[in-house]
Amino acid sequence: ALIALGYFFFPKIVKPSELIEKSIAVLPFINDSPSDSNKYFINGVMEDILGDLQTIKELRPISRTSAEKYRTTTKSIPEIAKELGVNYIVEGSGQKSGNIIRLIVKLFRTHKEAPLWGRTYEQEMHDAKDIFSIQNQIAEAIAAQLEAAISTKEKKLIEKIPTENLDAYKAYLKGQFYLRKFTANDLDTAMHYFNLAKEIDPGYALAYAGICDVWAYRQQDGFVTPTEGNQKSLAAVMKAIELDSTSAEVQYSLAHKKTWGLWDWKGGEAGFKKSLSINPNNALTHALYSHLLNILGRPKEAMEQIEIALKLDPMNPFIITFYGVDLEIIRRYD
């Protein structure tokens, strides 16, 4: 009788995962490698796991920028979870020695210090498929623990292999590492690595998307003329689209180029929608789409998009700034 009463009146005890929002933060992985030069690789692995989780519609993964704040924190799991507004936390560490990679991953319910789930993965990497396989296993294991359903489409995206060449993948990760620094010299370094990734694997769509982004950032920062920036970034992203139109990153690069390089509002909106249909949890895509909606005179829709972005990446100063712009447009000056 007590069990029956508990089932009907205390559902949280019986089926907690159905009632608790499946919000999760993946904290920066600790680099346990002998060399600090492997930091970019461990970071890239963590971000790819996060990217896999972002494709699952039932989850709400916090974006990398907000989680980065806790790289060297001494705060407890409950404290971090409260600040980020999540119910689950993933911690991890990685060690790369030669072509051997070892990852330790733990999943926590935020009100507990003890892990809900944990596992050690060790793999010799003969090609990039080996590391992608580990990333996919981790993402699917976490989703299973949270009882988040993965659709056939989502599973296909998670298990997609962007490149089979390990050296091309390493070059791409280095390109992304420098791209985020935004300075002229770092953009040059990022371009070097994206070009290297493309040369090693000419069919690597993300390498071309990275090249597009470098030219777009150079153009926006005034390092190159609009004529040169538009021509070279558009050529790169169209090659990426030709190679893989199902990539959220590629569709994002195309939408960004059309919106802030070609002033093609219709094409930009179509690109952002396509990108979000593939990866519904990318905060930056929601934020930039919000800005475009304001350009199009649709402030109500713009606020909806920026609020989603803030929920996914609450501590990203770039997104907070866009939120300020959105508030100004609807005259909420306070």
Side-chain angles (χ1 to χ4, degrees):
L2 286 171
I3 290 169
L5 285 170
Y7 183 86
F8 287 106
F9 293 103
F10 302 99
K12 276 189 176 181
I13 296 173
V14 182
K15 294 184 179 181
S17 60
E18 291 184 4
L19 298 176
I20 297 174
E21 183 189 44
K22 297 175 175 66
S23 51
I24 185 168
V26 181
L27 300 184
F29 280 19
I30 297 167
N31 176 30
D32 285 333
S33 304
S35 171
D36 196 50
S37 63
N38 287 319
K39 181 180 176 181
Y40 81 93
F41 190 84
I42 301 302
N43 285 347
V45 169
M46 179 273 292
E47 289 165 20
D48 280 347
I49 293 168
L50 175 60
D52 287 341
L53 293 173
Q54 286 177 329
T55 65
I56 303 172
K57 195 172 183 179
E58 281 196 16
L59 299 181
R60 179 172 71 83
I62 294 295
S63 294
R64 176 192 61 83
T65 308
S66 289
E68 181 64 29
K69 175 182 177 183
Y70 301 98
R71 180 173 291 279
T72 57
T73 188
T74 57
K75 292 182 178 180
S76 67
I77 294 293
E79 287 176 313
I80 296 171
K82 185 177 180 181
E83 290 181 9
L84 289 175
V86 296
N87 293 314
Y88 298 91
I89 293 280
V90 174
E91 277 188 342
S93 62
Q95 186 178 85
K96 181 177 176 295
S97 180
N99 272 357
I100 302 290
I101 187 164
R102 186 170 187 266
L103 297 174
I104 301 173
V105 185
K106 296 177 183 178
L107 173 68
F108 295 83
R109 272 281 298 278
T110 54
H111 64 281
K112 295 180 179 179
E113 291 287 349
L116 175 66
W117 168 86
R119 185 174 166 185
T120 299
Y121 297 82
E122 188 164 325
Q123 176 76 46
E124 183 175 358
M125 298 180 293
H126 300 286
D127 56 37
K129 288 189 291 185
D130 294 323
I131 187 61
F132 288 129
S133 174
I134 294 177
Q135 294 165 3
N136 300 343
Q137 290 176 49
I138 293 171
E140 291 181 4
I142 291 169
Q145 289 295 321
L146 272 58
E147 296 183 23
I150 302 176
S151 69
T152 304
K153 176 187 172 183
E154 290 165 352
K155 186 174 179 62
K156 188 176 179 181
L157 288 169
I158 289 171
E159 294 178 352
K160 185 167 71 172
I161 306 296
T163 179
E164 294 185 5
N165 191 294
L166 189 58
D167 290 332
Y169 178 60
K170 290 176 183 177
Y172 172 75
L173 291 182
K174 287 181 180 179
Q176 284 294 324
F177 179 81
Y178 287 101
L179 180 68
R180 296 192 182 106
K181 296 176 179 291
F182 297 113
T183 70
N185 288 338
D186 287 313
L187 290 176
D188 290 345
T189 305
M191 181 65 84
H192 164 75
Y193 284 116
F194 288 138
N195 274 323
L196 180 60
K198 176 195 70 168
E199 289 165 11
I200 296 170
D201 181 0
Y204 195 2
L206 292 180
Y208 292 93
I211 291 169
C212 168
D213 292 342
V214 172
W215 281 110
Y217 293 168
R218 283 171 170 173
Q219 180 180 337
Q220 284 189 302
D221 289 344
F223 301 142
V224 299
T225 65
T227 300
E228 183 182 15
N230 279 333
Q231 179 184 353
K232 293 186 176 178
S233 56
L234 189 60
V237 77
M238 294 314 295
K239 180 63 177 179
I241 288 286
E242 177 190 324
L243 291 168
D244 186 5
S245 62
T246 66
S247 165
E249 294 93 336
V250 169
Q251 290 292 344
Y252 165 85
S253 294
L254 180 61
H256 186 282
K257 178 73 268 173
K258 286 188 173 181
T259 302
W260 286 283
L262 305 175
W263 319 127
D264 177 4
W265 314 133
K266 186 177 179 181
E269 181 172 17
F272 284 129
K273 283 184 173 180
K274 178 68 174 176
S275 182
L276 289 171
S277 72
I278 301 166
N279 181 347
N281 288 306
N282 188 290
L284 187 57
T285 307
H286 282 287
L288 294 186
Y289 183 32
S290 169
H291 194 62
L292 173 57
L293 287 167
N294 274 321
I295 293 172
L296 295 171
R298 291 150 60 187
K300 184 178 178 182
E301 294 174 68
M303 286 304 298
E304 291 171 358
Q305 290 296 321
I306 198 66
E307 284 167 1
I308 294 172
L310 277 173
K311 197 172 183 183
L312 291 168
D313 205 352
M315 297 180 185
N316 186 328
F318 184 81
I319 290 174
I320 294 168
T321 302
F322 266 94
Y323 181 51
V325 173
D326 288 1
L327 290 171
E328 189 176 18
I329 286 170
I330 62 171
R331 303 191 179 191
R332 284 172 59 186
Y333 300 126
D334 58 325

